[in-house]
Amino acid sequence: MAFTEKLLTVPPPIEVAGRHIKRYHVTADPSGIAPEVQDAAHAVLPTLLPEPDGTPPATFVVLHRGGDDGAYLNVYSWVWDNVLHFRGAAAGQPVLGCPDRDPTHFVPVGRPWIGCVWELPPIQHERDAWVRHLLAPDTPDLDAYLVDSLPEGTTGDRA
């Protein structure tokens, strides 16, 4: 089976547990991620967020619907001013400790994996946006960071 890029969409940011959450969705399905999968991911999200530490409360997430029953939620939160804190959850993937194949039954994943090839593209953009809007200016601008997202399209082929 040949490798193909997947579709990347960018829903608007949301606020969860006092943190601003930028969102990326990854799927091969042109109709997007089913609302029930998104809602289940949002329900587990508060358990994956770090405690406040004085860093502007910003997080970005990648919700990936796999080609099988799996759904994956990668949660990247800014902490310690310039560090990414990572936590993840999966649903429908027994090999990752999921109790069943239900793509809405998310459980935290304790593996040290930060994302697959389709989930990684937002990381570089978010790093650059954090520097551009929070670290480099004399006055940090969280609002500007929150509207600066990787453009929709595919997960790769962006040259």
Side-chain angles (χ1 to χ4, degrees):
M1 182 172 178
F3 174 81
T4 58
E5 296 292 353
K6 293 188 178 182
L7 301 172
L8 178 89
T9 57
V10 184
I14 59 174
E15 191 170 326
V16 174
R19 292 190 76 86
H20 302 279
I21 313 289
K22 294 171 73 172
R23 301 181 297 156
Y24 294 96
H25 286 183
V26 172
T27 183
D29 185 345
S31 63
I33 293 179
E36 61 270 13
V37 173
Q38 176 183 269
D39 292 346
H42 289 172
V44 73
L45 187 53
T47 68
L48 303 172
L49 298 171
E51 292 295 320
D53 71 352
T55 302
T59 294
F60 63 97
V61 300
V62 178
L63 178 57
H64 178 189
R65 187 69 166 93
D68 54 12
D69 295 327
Y72 312 93
L73 178 63
N74 296 344
V75 181
Y76 307 95
S77 298
W78 291 105
V79 298
W80 210 36
D81 199 37
N82 59 15
V83 173
L84 272 182
H85 171 278
F86 173 78
R87 295 277 321 271
Q93 187 56 262
V95 75
L96 294 179
C98 299
D100 52 43
R101 293 203 169 274
D102 179 353
T104 66
H105 190 182
F106 282 91
V107 296
V109 174
R111 296 187 187 213
W113 302 347
I114 64 165
C116 74
V117 296
W118 295 288
E119 298 161 353
L120 295 176
I123 293 175
Q124 180 66 46
H125 176 87
E126 293 299 320
R127 178 259 180 218
D128 292 346
W130 190 256
V131 169
R132 189 169 38 253
H133 300 294
L134 278 292
L135 300 180
D138 291 335
T139 303
D141 189 346
L142 181 60
D143 290 335
Y145 169 76
L146 294 173
V147 297
D148 185 344
S149 294
L150 186 64
E152 293 187 347
T154 63
T155 52
D157 299 327
R158 292 179 171 269

